[in-house]
């Protein structure tokens, strides 16, 4: 079987690893030269860990899991003693998406995938094309989308600071979310652009030494493709859907998509089963994400 995966993000690498575990080789093209450092998904549920286990990834993931309780509190600034608990995850592990993708890339390669970093896909000449890209392939095929569309942007500041905390926080002073990343490193995601240093100081509620590492801007959108399968092209990642960050675990849904697609390509069901099963799941996740969005 000839499988070309366009986009080596979480979705593309996950499907490559799951296919590899079934003995199906594939080629992954990723336009970036390196796995991005930007803070993204954290929580991997127990169900996701079981899926990762099928490709031998559960133990390595546990080894790189963050010492992060996964709880989310609301407070005015980090200097505040008064905190309201918003979420305590039951089970699962907390893992930085960068570390997870580095691991998946290594595992997919070990299982037979050819992952070509720094290569932008130009033609889609393969028996099966998996569009795990940013929506470009979906648009080029004329596949429409539905949902609320663009809702705003998330400005994520990555910084280093000596903080004693291990939890995540919804910080009212900046209307943003502060999360622990790799040891000593934090991310602050806010809905408005601003001076990163000032925003971090305002969120911490204390003028302490902070080392700014970078800012990434992500579109916040609610958008699902009208079909996930077009002839031999299968949509994943943002080509399939973009959901607003919310308690809904979108990174976990991406891994479920990848697992099911590997099963289907392995012969467990016809290709259109992926559209029949995963598109309604994405529509439901979009409705949940819109309903459950935290507001400071
Ligand atoms: C700040 C932030 C916080 C988040 N927090 C959470 C969370 O707490 N829980 C949760 O569940 N989810 C969270 N998410 C969402 C989750 O991380 C994403 O769902 C995940 O990154 C999606 O990965 P992906 O592979 O599906 O898409 P992407 O990461 O967008 O990957 C697509 C890849 O395709 C590549 N590409 C595009 N076009 C081409 C081309 N022509 N040729 C080659 N390569 C191409 C791109 O370079 C990119 O690497 C968060 C996201 C952000 C930004």
């Amino acid at each position: 079987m000839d499988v070309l995966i366009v986009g080596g993000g979480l979705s593309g690498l996950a499907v490559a690893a799951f296919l590899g575990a079934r003995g199906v080789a594939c080629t992954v093209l990723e336009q970036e030269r390196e796995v991005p450092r930007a803070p993204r998904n954290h929580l991997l549920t127990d169900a996701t860990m079981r899926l990762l286990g099928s490709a031998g990834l559960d133990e390595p993931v546990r080894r790189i899991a963050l010492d992060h309780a996964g709880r989310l509190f609301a407070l005015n600034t980090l200097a505040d003693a008064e905190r309201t608990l918003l979420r305590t995850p039951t089970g699962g592990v907390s893992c930085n998406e960068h570390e997870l993708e580095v691991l998946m890339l290594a595992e997919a390669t070990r299982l037979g995938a050819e992952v070509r970093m720094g290569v932008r896909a130009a033609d889609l000449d393969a028996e099966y094309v998996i569009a795990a890209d940013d929506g470009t392939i979906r648009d080029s095929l004329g596949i429409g989308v539905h949902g609320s569309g663009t809702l705003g942007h998330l400005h994520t500041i990555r910084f280093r600071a000596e903080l004693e905390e291990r939890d995540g926080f919804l910080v009212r002073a900046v209307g943003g979310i502060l999360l622990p990343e790799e040891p000593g490193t934090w991310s602050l995601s806010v809905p408005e652009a601003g001076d990163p240093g000032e925003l971090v100081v305002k969120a911490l509620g204390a003028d302490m030494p902070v080392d700014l590492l970078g800012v990434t801007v992500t579109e916040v959108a609610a958008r699902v493709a009208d079909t996930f399968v077009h002839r031999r092209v299968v949509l994943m990642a943002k080509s399939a859907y973009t959901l607003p960050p919310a308690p809904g675990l979108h990174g976990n849904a991406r891994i479920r998509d990848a697992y099911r697609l590997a099963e289907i390509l392995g012969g467990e069901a016809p290709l259109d089963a992926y559209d029949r099963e995963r598109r309604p799941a994405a529509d439901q996740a979009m409705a949940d994400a819109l309903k459950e969005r935290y507001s400071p």
Side-chain angles (χ1 to χ4, degrees):
M1 191 188 303
D2 176 22
V3 181
L4 174 67
I5 301 174
V6 180
L10 183 65
S11 302
L13 292 173
V15 77
F18 289 135
L19 282 173
R22 294 173 163 268
V24 178
C26 62
T27 302
V28 182
L29 303 184
E30 167 53 51
Q31 64 189 1
E32 301 295 335
R33 290 188 175 279
E34 291 179 353
V35 174
R37 278 255 162 222
R40 286 158 293 153
N41 184 58
H42 281 87
L43 294 177
L44 299 174
T45 63
D46 283 334
T48 300
M49 291 300 287
R50 280 194 291 279
L51 300 185
L52 292 174
S54 74
L57 279 162
D58 53 344
E59 281 314 313
V61 166
R62 281 185 210 285
R63 281 199 288 277
I64 58 162
L66 296 167
D67 177 21
H68 170 1
R71 293 179 304 185
L72 189 70
F73 290 89
L75 39 60
N76 288 325
T77 75
L78 201 64
D80 248 19
E82 202 176 307
R83 321 174 153 194
T84 312
L85 181 64
L86 295 177
R87 179 186 73 193
T88 310
T90 47
V93 302
S94 189
C95 179
N96 178 293
E97 190 167 315
H98 166 81
E99 308 285 336
L100 177 61
E101 289 183 3
V102 167
L103 200 69
M104 278 183 167
L105 196 157
E107 194 58 13
T109 305
R110 193 184 68 78
L111 292 167
E114 187 193 349
V115 184
R116 298 172 60 196
M117 301 296 288
V119 178
R120 192 173 161 77
D123 68 71
L124 306 176
D125 188 17
E127 188 183 357
Y128 292 101
V129 173
I130 299 176
D133 67 330
D134 52 8
T136 308
I137 296 177
R138 176 197 68 215
D139 294 346
S140 73
L141 293 172
I143 298 171
V145 294
H146 56 276
S148 316
T150 305
L151 301 167
H153 288 86
L154 206 56
H155 303 256
T156 301
I157 305 159
R158 198 169 148 256
F159 64 96
R160 217 174 271 135
E162 293 295 325
L163 303 175
E164 292 297 310
E165 309 281 355
R166 290 174 57 233
D167 294 300
F169 301 95
L170 177 64
V171 187
R172 295 192 196 95
V174 292
I177 297 212
L178 180 66
L179 292 172
E181 300 292 335
E182 60 261 53
T185 308
W186 289 75
S187 65
L188 176 66
S189 297
V190 292
E192 307 284 343
D195 181 276
E198 283 174 19
L199 282 163
V200 169
V201 167
K202 204 168 163 190
L204 299 184
D207 199 355
M208 60 187 296
V210 162
D211 187 8
L212 294 177
L213 300 173
V215 180
T216 44
V217 182
T218 316
E219 183 198 27
V220 177
R223 183 182 295 130
V224 176
D226 293 341
T227 181
F228 283 8
V229 176
H230 177 86
R231 299 202 182 102
R232 294 292 175 111
V233 180
V234 180
L235 305 191
M236 297 189 82
K238 288 193 193 102
S239 264
Y241 54 87
T242 308
L243 307 177
L249 300 164
H250 310 323
N252 291 270
R254 304 285 187 199
I255 293 171
R256 269 199 301 285
D257 293 342
Y259 183 81
R260 186 60 182 139
L261 181 57
E263 281 185 333
I264 288 171
L265 290 177
E268 288 197 12
L271 195 55
D272 65 357
Y274 178 78
D275 177 61
R276 264 187 285 113
E277 296 171 16
R278 300 313 298 161
R279 191 162 46 84
D283 279 327
Q284 185 60 52
M286 177 164 70
D288 292 346
L290 288 169
K291 214 166 41 204
E292 290 174 19
R293 287 183 78 195
Y294 288 136
S295 58

